């Protein structure tokens, strides 16, 4: 995988992945992504499968007062189950550590147990719930936070976590 900062030129592919990965749930529009790319607090990357010249997924976060709020992570369904979501998350965590960010947070659908297991592996813990946060269909969101990612113990967690092989 090769990571690139998300650019407007990637948005057709990003929107296709977003719609396919979130289906049948409500997903972001192209204008939402344009707004995010113009947000000075936002950082977004795409992951390219170099041997296939294909965008496999993307991730983004907002940097706010020492915390990184992960806003979106999606992997093309054609490439799901190959560890790409985990590699995207690790890339983001490593960036956040390097930028002296102290905490990570996000919301996840209460029914998305696969994503919750991944986040738990990287030290995220449930800190609350947002009732009816998601639409189409309505569903509660779990609010997840990490401990201080600048802590040497957390950095060891990241270094010791096994990367998945990417096909």
């Amino acid at each position: 995988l090769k990571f690139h900062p998300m650019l407007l030129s990637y948005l057709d592919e990003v929107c296709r992945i977003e719609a396919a990965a979130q289906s049948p749930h409500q997903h972001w529009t192209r204008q939402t992504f344009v707004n995010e790319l113009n947000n000075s607090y936002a950082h977004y990357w795409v992951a390219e499968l170099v041997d296939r010249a294909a965008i496999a997924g993307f991730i983004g976060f907002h940097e706010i007062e020492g915390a990184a709020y992960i806003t979106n992570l999606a992997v093309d369904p054609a490439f799901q189950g190959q560890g790409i979501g985990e590699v995207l998350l690790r890339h983001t965590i490593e960036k956040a550590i390097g930028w002296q960010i102290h905490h990570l947070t996000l919301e996840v659908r209460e029914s998305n147990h696969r994503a919750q297991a991944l986040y738990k592996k990287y030290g995220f813990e449930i800190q609350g719930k947002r009732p009816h946060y998601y639409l189409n269909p309505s569903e509660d969101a779990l609010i997840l936070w990490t401990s201080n990612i600048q802590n040497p113990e957390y950095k060891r967690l990241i270094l010791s976590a096994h990367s998945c092989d990417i096909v």
Side-chain angles (χ1 to χ4, degrees):
L1 282 178
K2 186 174 181 181
F3 296 95
H4 306 283
M6 189 183 289
L7 303 171
L8 289 173
S9 61
Y10 294 123
L11 289 190
D12 287 344
E13 191 63 8
V14 164
C15 288
R16 184 196 64 75
I17 292 168
E18 168 74 3
Q22 301 300 336
S23 183
H25 307 298
Q26 183 175 359
H27 50 84
W28 287 16
T29 65
R30 180 182 186 84
Q31 188 58 52
T32 302
F33 283 107
V34 169
N35 294 345
E36 288 296 283
L37 293 179
N38 289 314
N39 179 344
S40 63
Y41 297 103
H43 306 279
Y44 283 81
W45 296 273
V46 297
E48 177 187 10
L49 287 168
V50 178
D51 62 336
R52 299 181 190 176
I55 301 298
F58 63 88
I59 192 167
F61 71 80
H62 291 176
E63 185 178 351
I64 304 169
E65 297 180 11
Y69 169 54
I70 298 174
T71 56
N72 202 331
L73 184 154
V75 175
D76 187 322
F79 303 117
Q80 289 180 359
Q82 299 177 33
I84 293 170
E86 182 170 358
V87 174
L88 280 161
L89 182 61
R90 281 181 58 99
H91 172 78
T92 300
I93 293 169
E94 289 166 3
K95 288 283 190 187
I97 289 171
W99 292 344
Q100 300 303 305
I101 290 170
H102 294 277
H103 300 279
L104 303 166
T105 184
L106 55 83
E107 287 98 2
V108 63
R109 282 184 181 272
E110 193 167 36
S111 65
N112 193 343
H113 301 292
R114 193 163 118 187
Q116 290 173 44
L118 172 63
Y119 299 137
K120 183 177 180 180
K121 179 178 178 179
Y122 286 90
F124 286 83
E125 296 176 352
I126 298 171
Q127 297 296 316
K129 187 183 282 193
R130 296 191 198 284
H132 311 292
Y133 180 78
Y134 293 103
L135 306 174
N136 297 330
S138 177
E139 185 174 352
D140 295 349
L142 298 177
I143 304 166
L144 305 181
W145 279 84
T146 62
S147 60
N148 185 349
I149 65 174
Q150 296 300 328
N151 181 315
E153 184 177 315
Y154 187 86
K155 290 179 182 179
R156 277 194 297 280
L157 169 71
I158 294 303
L159 294 174
S160 67
H162 294 48
S163 293
C164 297
D165 292 331
I166 303 300
V167 177

